[in-house]
Amino acid sequence: MGELLSQLWTPEIQAAFTAIVVMLVVLYVLSIVWVIRDAYLRGTFWYVWGILALVPLIGVIAYCLLRPPLLQIDRDEQELEVALKQRELMKYGECASCGYPVESDYVICPNCHQRLKNLCGACHHALDPAWTVCPFCATPVGAAPRQRRAAAQHTRTQMPQ
Ligand SMILES: [Zn+2]
Ligand SMILES: [Zn+2]
């Protein structure tokens, strides 16, 4: 039996066996590196997945099944795209009263004359009604018109004379 084994265990077989073992070890190490790298790129706890990947084969298969579906970069890009689309929608809206398409800097609906935006009293940019400060010149919204109103009242009080 021992003789048969030594007859079968030729240097060629021995070399092939060594090559297979080396390949498996390399594959095992590469799979761990891949799991850690992929988990890191996906923004998950890569060290946890790295420890799991130490379990030969099963660790990698488990990771492939359970890993987050999106890369961190893709996720960031997707969020950016959604934000950009929202901005686009904000830029081109509709008149609340007649539905006519209006742009962000329209102050009055060209179709039904509905007031859409406030005007900055200082720089005369169109301002969203929700804004409390002009983003173009940093004037608090309502401050300049109040001054103007005060000035108007001043002239009115002087008028009767
Ligand atoms: Zn309108
Ligand atoms: Zn302004």
Side-chain angles (χ1 to χ4, degrees):
M1 187 63 189
E3 218 172 277
L4 186 73
L5 204 71
S6 65
Q7 266 181 354
L8 278 174
W9 195 244
T10 56
E12 290 80 33
I13 298 263
Q14 202 177 339
F17 183 77
T18 313
I20 287 167
V21 168
V22 167
M23 254 166 58
L24 283 177
V25 168
V26 168
L27 221 74
Y28 171 64
V29 171
L30 279 179
S31 73
I32 294 168
V33 171
W34 176 78
V35 165
I36 291 174
R37 195 175 165 273
D38 197 72
Y40 177 75
L41 287 176
R42 277 162 210 266
T44 53
F45 305 107
W46 57 269
Y47 37 89
V48 177
W49 288 113
I51 292 164
L52 189 80
L54 292 175
V55 183
L57 203 65
I58 294 165
V60 178
I61 292 171
Y63 177 72
C64 287
L65 290 174
L66 300 173
R67 67 181 181 172
L70 278 181
L71 288 179
Q72 186 68 48
I73 289 174
D74 292 342
R75 207 179 306 157
D76 289 349
E77 212 165 87
Q78 214 173 46
E79 274 166 22
L80 203 74
E81 238 164 64
V82 169
L84 274 175
K85 261 183 204 144
Q86 277 175 345
R87 281 195 69 129
E88 279 294 295
L89 282 177
M90 269 174 69
K91 201 171 168 191
Y92 303 102
E94 284 180 348
C95 168
S97 101
C98 73
Y100 192 82
V102 290
E103 286 184 28
S104 63
D105 47 357
Y106 284 10
V107 178
I108 271 178
C109 171
N111 189 43
C112 72
H113 298 191
Q114 164 77 26
R115 186 151 191 97
L116 303 169
K117 290 277 165 76
N118 293 322
L119 266 191
C120 172
C123 70
H124 302 286
H125 266 106
L127 304 180
D128 192 290
W131 293 349
T132 54
V133 68
C134 171
F136 302 100
C137 69
T139 304
V141 170
R146 210 175 299 139
Q147 271 172 9
R148 207 188 291 158
R149 218 177 300 143
Q153 265 170 5
H154 187 70
T155 49
R156 217 176 295 147
T157 47
Q158 282 194 336
M159 279 276 249
Q161 292 172 350

